[in-house]
Every structure is written in structure tokens, then in C-alpha cells.
Amino acid sequence: MDASLIVVAVIALGVAALARRYQLPSPLILVVIGLGVSFIPRVPTLALDPDVVLFVILPPLLYSAAQDSSYVALRRNARAIGLLAVALPLASAAAVGFVAYWTLPQLPLAAALVLGAIVAPPDAVSATAIGRRLGLPRRITTLLGGESLLNDATALTAYRLALGAAAGATTTAWGGIVLFLVAAIGGVVVGLVFGVVVSRIRLWLTDPPMETAVGIVIPFAAYFVAEEVHASGVIAVVVVGLYLGQRSARDGYATRLQDNAVWKSIDVMLESFVFLLIGLQLPEVIRGLRGHSLGAIVWTAVAVLTTVIVVRILWMYPATYLPRILSRRVRAKESAPTPAAVFIVSWSGMRGVVSLAAAFGIPLTTDAGDPFPARDEIVFLTFVVVVGTLLLQGLSLPWLIRVLGVTGDERRSDLLALAAAQDRAGRAAGARLDELAADLPRTEAIDDQVHVLRRWLKSRKNLAWEELGRGEEEIGESPSMVFSRLRTELLQTQREVFIGERDAGRIDDEVLRRVLRQLDLAEGLSDRGARRAQS
């Protein structure tokens, strides 16, 4: 099993690298390749371990997504996100459960509701990995991101209740509500405690490598502790990620640079592994269907997949427009989204590995020792929903965005806000420079350095305003672009000289690494400015 996991990880990274190199949708390609590989004879079966997904893969992906989210934007859209992340999963679970119950005779109602809870939430991995580069308006990405961060908690809580009922436990509706509230509140408390404690620890350490190492452990620890106290591990990880993400602005620059690089690499690795793993589950799923009626299960699969997609579409329009009709406050606070934008949100409900993990996590027997009712059918139906939504919705989503014209229009307003903020920051920094210069001895060398700093402040302010002007194709390279290009060339020249000095034995490798880090940071700033000016 260990060797198989390593092989899968290597293949997943290789495929993802090629897909990203040629700007192809790597999640969908990985799923298709996984399905294809699963048909090859004598390929070892790699069964998905639910604990690996829920305790190893899910926490870091949620944590990273939460760190990249905006707490201010999530709070501003709390009502809409609540309807997507809490109400919609419950409605989807009920609808799917009853459809499965009516179309598959051997499926008891409690087991059908287990299926509904499993396939109810769009997956956090799918939403972020497929929708990341689609150019959607910011409010849509905020809604999808907020939904994907929180809907797992709703669905997994409903899953536990339905699973207990199907296995023989007795739970009242009021008991279910209490369980959900305890899980949610407990998750928030655990997440806040971890956030406050870890933030102070990292501030006390002032050691970037150790701060990043602590950050890598945080999502696993928060998830585990929350689950141990019967709270929501998902909510705990999301809360601690949001808290530390907001606090990161006050971390040291080295910690931020390092965290950003480390977590982007972790995201790519885990996402690639997850999508390939989804495709590889086909043999395990088919093996469980031996001896079952193929016609009935296929008919139910089509009905369930259709229900999952249609319920989200039918939910989105009333949930979007009814609050505006009924509430003057909502009309005043929120601009009305276009029907096309609402459809794009409704079509972005791809399911993923969390649903599969929950399906494979169904026990083999009930509390009475009997076989769990229709377990194999539930696993198959879940697989159909996950793969079906990934391929059907994932492949068509970019095309629909282009056809419907649902793209972001925030660039100019962002640039205006940035330029104004840069102007204020430049004036404040200039005033501070005057104060500091007044206390320095008046020498030619110091005056030169102060002059360089004044020109740097001016160039920073000009860069923000240049981005609001005409494009490079009209006026050629801007002064800031010329500066960035020349600076990069000079840095590269210095880098080659230092490498030559190392090769000649005149400086040590340790000295070279220290110098290269300084040059790399300088080139990173130069390259970032050039890319901003080109965007």
C-alpha cells in the first residue's frame, strides 16, 4: 500500500505538471487518467482509506483555502454563504435521499438519507482547484469559496445522524439540531483557541523556518482535537485558518514568503493526488456491485446525479432573489446579480473526494450485526455523482462562463483603490523619511542614500498610477517596466559572477547561498512589479 501511494503521488504530480505547463484543466485530466488506468489488467487496486482523506488530506486543503480567503468578504456575504453552506446541503440531502428511496427498492429510507448526506456538499478541493483560474467575479469566487469551506461540516453532521439511524441508533429531530449546534460552536471555539495560541507562539519564535513548520502541523492538530471532543473538525480548521490568515499581515516578510511557497506546493501535491485517486476507485466500486441488478442501479444513478444537479439550480434562483424581494435592507446592501451569474454558481457544484471518503467509511454491519443495507449501491452511486459532476460540470464550466459573459470587472476599481492607498502610503513614508533624515549627520554619502530612497518612494507611487493608464501596446514600456527589466538583467549578471566565484573556489557554497537568497528576493520584487504592470 505504501509503495502504491508513492507511485500514485509521483504519477499525479507528473500529469499535473504537464497539464499546467500546457494550461489544461489538471483536475479533470487526472480523473480521466485514473479511470483509464483502472481498466489496465493487473494494476493493483488502491482502495480509498476514509481516515487518510478526513484526517490527512482534508485538513491542510481547508486550512490553505481559509488562509487565502478574506474574512471581511466572507462576513459581508454571510447570509448568502449560509444559504449555500447550511441550508442547501440539507435540502440536497433530503431530495437525493427520497429520489434514491423511490427508485431503488432495496434501499431503506435511512440508508437513502445517508447517501443524500454523502453527496450533498460540493467539495472544497473541486471548487478551488477547478474554479481558481476561470476569471469569475470576486463575489462569485467568495461565495463558492465560503460555501466549500463550511458545507462539509453541515453534510458530515447530517451524515453522522443518518448513519446512526440506518445502523440502528435512535435520534430525534431535536437531538440532531443540538448535535449540529454543539459541533458548530465547539469547532469555532477549538479553532479560535488554536488561532490565538499559535499566533502568540509564532510571534514569540521569530524564526521563519520554525514558524512555517508550526503552521504545517496546525490543521492536523486542530482537526484531531475538535473531532476528539465531538466538535466539527472542518469548522475548527476553517476558523484557525481564517484567524491566522488575517494575522499573517503582521508576520515577518520572510515567514510570509516561505509560507506562501510551502502551502502552494502542498496544495498542488494534495490536489493532484486526490483527483487521480478518485479515478482509481472504479475497480473497487464495480467489485462491490457483483450480483446486483445492473439496470436498476444504473437508472438510480442517473436519477440521483440529475437530482444533485437540478436541486442546486432550483435552489439558487429563489435563494438569490426572494430575500431581495422581501427585504428592503438586502436590496440596499447588495447589488442584484444577473441570472447568468446565478446559473454559473448553480453549475459550480462539483463533488469530490470527501463524498467518496464518507461513502467508503460506511460500516459493513449495523449495530445488530446485520450487513449495512445497500452499502455497495451507496458507494457506487456516490462514485457516479462525484465523477459525473467533475466531468460534466467541470468540463463545461469554462465554456459556459465565456458564453454567458460572467467575468470579473473589478480590475480598474482595484487599481484605483491601490493607487490611492499607495499615494497615502508614499506620503506617510516620505514624512517619516524627513524625520529620520533630520536626525542623521549631513554627509554626501548619507544624502545620496536619502535621495535614492526618495526616488524609490516616487517610483512606487508612479507604478500604481501607471497601471491605470494605457496599455504597453499603445505607449510602449512604462518607466517602471524599463526599470524592472534592467534591474533583472543586472541581478542576473551579478548572480553569474557569484556562481563563477564559487566554481573557481574563491567563495564557499554557504556564502553563495546567502548571496543568492538576497539576489533572489530582489529579483522576486522586480519580477512581481513587472507582472503587475503587465496585468
Side-chain angles (χ1 to χ4, degrees), residues 6 30 40 45 110 139 157 190 199 243 257 273 373 377 428 449 475 483 490 496 499 502:
I6 293 173
L30 284 162
I40 299 176
T45 300
R139 186 160 191 266
T157 303
V190 171
S199 177
Y243 184 90
L257 288 173
F273 178 79
E377 289 89 336
Q449 296 302 316
I475 61 175
F483 176 82
L490 297 178
E496 292 173 357
I499 293 173
R502 189 276 311 272

Coordinates of all heavy atoms in Angstrom, one line a residue, residues 6 30 40 45 110 139 157 190 199 243 257 273 373 377 428 449 475 483 490 496 499 502:
I6 N 3.0 6.0 -3.1 CA 4.1 6.8 -3.6 C 4.0 6.8 -5.2 O 4.2 7.9 -5.8 CB 5.4 6.2 -3.2 CG1 5.6 6.3 -1.7 CG2 6.6 6.8 -3.9 CD1 6.8 5.6 -1.1
L30 N -6.6 14.4 -14.6 CA -6.2 13.4 -13.6 C -7.3 12.4 -13.3 O -7.1 11.2 -13.2 CB -5.8 14.1 -12.3 CG -4.5 14.8 -12.3 CD1 -4.3 15.8 -11.2 CD2 -3.3 13.7 -12.2
I40 N -6.6 -1.1 -16.8 CA -5.5 -1.9 -17.2 C -5.4 -3.1 -16.3 O -5.4 -3.0 -15.1 CB -4.2 -1.0 -17.0 CG1 -4.3 0.2 -17.9 CG2 -3.0 -1.9 -17.4 CD1 -3.1 1.1 -17.8
T45 N -5.2 -2.7 -7.0 CA -6.3 -1.9 -6.6 C -5.9 -1.0 -5.4 O -5.3 -1.5 -4.4 CB -7.5 -2.8 -6.2 OG1 -7.9 -3.5 -7.4 CG2 -8.6 -1.9 -5.7
A110 N -33.6 5.3 5.6 CA -32.5 5.8 6.4 C -31.2 5.7 5.6 O -30.4 6.6 5.6 CB -32.4 5.0 7.7
R139 N -17.3 38.4 -6.2 CA -18.3 37.9 -5.3 C -18.7 36.5 -5.5 O -19.0 35.7 -4.6 CB -19.6 38.8 -5.5 CG -20.7 38.5 -4.4 CD -21.7 39.6 -4.3 NE -22.5 39.3 -3.1 CZ -23.7 38.7 -3.2 NH1 -24.2 38.3 -4.4 NH2 -24.4 38.5 -2.1
T157 N -22.2 16.3 9.5 CA -23.0 16.2 10.7 C -24.3 15.4 10.3 O -24.8 14.5 11.1 CB -23.3 17.6 11.3 OG1 -22.1 18.2 11.6 CG2 -24.2 17.4 12.5
V190 N -12.7 25.7 19.3 CA -11.4 25.0 19.2 C -10.5 25.8 18.2 O -9.3 26.0 18.4 CB -11.6 23.5 18.7 CG1 -10.2 22.9 18.3 CG2 -12.2 22.7 19.8
S199 N -0.8 31.9 17.1 CA -0.3 33.2 16.8 C 0.7 33.8 17.7 O 1.7 34.3 17.3 CB -1.5 34.2 16.7 OG -1.1 35.5 16.3
Y243 N -8.3 33.0 11.0 CA -7.7 33.8 12.0 C -6.2 34.1 11.7 O -5.8 35.2 11.7 CB -7.8 33.1 13.4 CG -7.3 33.9 14.6 CD1 -8.1 34.8 15.2 CD2 -6.0 33.8 15.0 CE1 -7.7 35.6 16.3 CE2 -5.5 34.6 16.0 CZ -6.3 35.5 16.7 OH -5.8 36.2 17.7
L257 N 6.8 35.0 2.9 CA 7.3 34.4 1.6 C 7.4 32.9 1.7 O 7.0 32.2 0.8 CB 8.6 35.0 1.3 CG 8.7 36.5 0.9 CD1 10.1 37.0 0.8 CD2 8.0 36.7 -0.5
F273 N -3.0 14.4 -6.2 CA -3.1 13.1 -5.6 C -4.6 12.7 -5.5 O -5.0 11.6 -5.8 CB -2.4 13.0 -4.3 CG -2.6 11.7 -3.6 CD1 -1.8 10.6 -3.9 CD2 -3.5 11.5 -2.5 CE1 -1.9 9.4 -3.3 CE2 -3.6 10.3 -1.9 CZ -2.8 9.2 -2.3
P373 N -27.4 -2.0 5.1 CA -28.3 -2.1 4.0 C -27.8 -1.3 2.8 O -27.5 -0.1 2.9 CB -29.6 -1.5 4.5 CG -29.3 -0.7 5.7 CD -28.1 -1.4 6.3
E377 N -24.4 -0.4 -3.1 CA -25.1 0.5 -4.0 C -24.8 2.0 -3.7 O -24.7 2.9 -4.5 CB -26.6 0.3 -3.9 CG -27.1 -1.0 -4.6 CD -27.0 -2.2 -3.6 OE1 -26.3 -2.1 -2.6 OE2 -27.7 -3.2 -3.8
A428 N 3.0 59.1 3.7 CA 3.4 58.8 5.1 C 4.9 58.4 5.2 O 5.6 58.8 6.1 CB 2.5 57.7 5.6
Q449 N 22.0 58.4 -0.1 CA 21.1 57.3 0.3 C 19.7 57.8 0.5 O 18.7 57.2 0.1 CB 21.6 56.6 1.5 CG 23.0 55.9 1.4 CD 22.9 54.8 0.3 OE1 22.0 54.1 0.2 NE2 24.0 54.8 -0.6
I475 N 1.7 52.6 -25.7 CA 2.7 53.6 -25.3 C 4.1 53.0 -25.1 O 5.1 53.7 -24.8 CB 2.3 54.4 -24.0 CG1 2.2 53.4 -22.9 CG2 1.1 55.2 -24.2 CD1 1.9 54.1 -21.5
F483 N 12.6 49.9 -15.7 CA 13.5 49.8 -14.5 C 13.5 48.3 -14.1 O 14.6 47.8 -13.8 CB 12.9 50.7 -13.4 CG 13.6 50.5 -12.1 CD1 14.8 51.2 -11.8 CD2 13.1 49.7 -11.1 CE1 15.4 51.0 -10.6 CE2 13.7 49.5 -9.9 CZ 14.9 50.2 -9.6
L490 N 20.7 43.2 -14.4 CA 21.8 43.4 -13.6 C 21.9 42.4 -12.5 O 23.0 41.9 -12.1 CB 21.7 44.8 -13.0 CG 21.7 46.0 -13.9 CD1 21.6 47.3 -13.2 CD2 23.0 46.0 -14.8
E496 N 25.6 35.4 -12.0 CA 26.5 34.6 -12.7 C 28.0 34.8 -12.2 O 28.8 33.9 -12.2 CB 26.4 35.0 -14.2 CG 25.1 34.5 -14.9 CD 24.9 35.0 -16.3 OE1 25.8 35.8 -16.7 OE2 23.9 34.7 -16.9
I499 N 28.4 32.8 -9.0 CA 28.5 31.4 -9.3 C 29.9 31.1 -9.8 O 30.5 30.1 -9.4 CB 27.4 31.0 -10.3 CG1 26.0 31.1 -9.6 CG2 27.6 29.5 -10.7 CD1 24.8 30.8 -10.6
R502 N 32.3 30.9 -7.0 CA 32.2 29.7 -6.2 C 32.9 28.5 -7.0 O 33.6 27.7 -6.4 CB 30.7 29.3 -6.0 CG 30.4 28.1 -5.1 CD 30.5 26.8 -5.8 NE 29.7 26.7 -7.0 CZ 28.4 26.4 -7.1 NH1 27.7 26.1 -6.0 NH2 27.8 26.4 -8.3

